[in-house]
Amino acid sequence: MTQETDGRPRVVAEAKTWAGTRYHSCADVKGAGADCAMLLVRAFVDSGLLAPFDPRPYPEDWHLHRSEERYLSYVTDRFVETERPLPGDIAVFRYGRCYSHGALVTKVDPLTIIHAFQPAGCVIEEPLAANLALADPKRPRRFFTLWPRAFE
C-alpha cells in the first residue's frame, strides 16, 4: 500500500479526471459512463492504491428491494471507518433500505465530495452541504479510510 501522504492526493486527482462523465449504471469508462461504485473502484485501482476488483454485476435498483448491505460490504472489506474524514476518504450514504451511494472526499472545509450522482446525470464535485438529498440529517452517512489513524 502506498504511503498516505502520496496516496491521498493521487486518488483525489484520479477521481477528478472523471468529472463530467455521464452517469450510467454499472459502467466504468472515463468520459462515457460511470456510477458511484465504479467511480470509486476506478479511482483507487487506477491510482495504484487497491488491487483490481469488480463488484459487478449488480441490478441498478438492488438497494430498493433488499436489506443486504452489499455496497457497504465492499467498502468494509477494504477500508476502516473514521469519524474525521480527510481528502481521499470515502463517504457512503443510505438510500432505500441500505447504504448504496458512495463518494470520495476531496476537501474538508467545506466538506466537498466527488461522485457519480444519478440526479445530476454525471460525475460532479460539490460541497456536501449543497446537495440537499445527501446533506439531509435524516439520511445516514458514514466515512471510511484506507489509512487508519491511531487514537481516533
Side-chain angles (χ1 to χ4, degrees), residues 25-43:
S25 183
C26 294
D28 68 341
V29 179
K30 192 184 298 182
D35 67 11
C36 66
M38 295 311 298
L39 172 65
L40 295 176
V41 170
R42 293 274 48 97

Side-chain angles (χ1 to χ4, degrees), residues 54-118:
D54 193 339
R56 297 172 292 190
Y58 46 84
E60 186 173 357
D61 62 351
W62 65 269
H63 59 286
L64 299 176
H65 308 292
R66 303 238 189 319
S67 295
E68 176 189 1
E69 289 289 359
R70 185 175 185 177
Y71 196 107
L72 195 56
S73 72
Y74 285 110
V75 173
T76 58
D77 283 350
R78 293 161 180 84
F79 300 85
V80 296
E81 195 156 10
T82 182
E83 295 294 321
R84 296 177 298 131
L86 295 173
D89 290 340
I90 292 175
V92 293
F93 303 87
R94 178 172 255 166
Y95 262 88
R97 298 172 76 174
C98 51
Y99 287 88
S100 57
H101 182 66
L104 186 77
V105 175
T106 59
K107 189 176 170 186
V108 174
D109 191 20
L111 186 62
T112 304
I113 59 173
I114 188 166
H115 57 140
F117 195 51
Q118 187 175 24

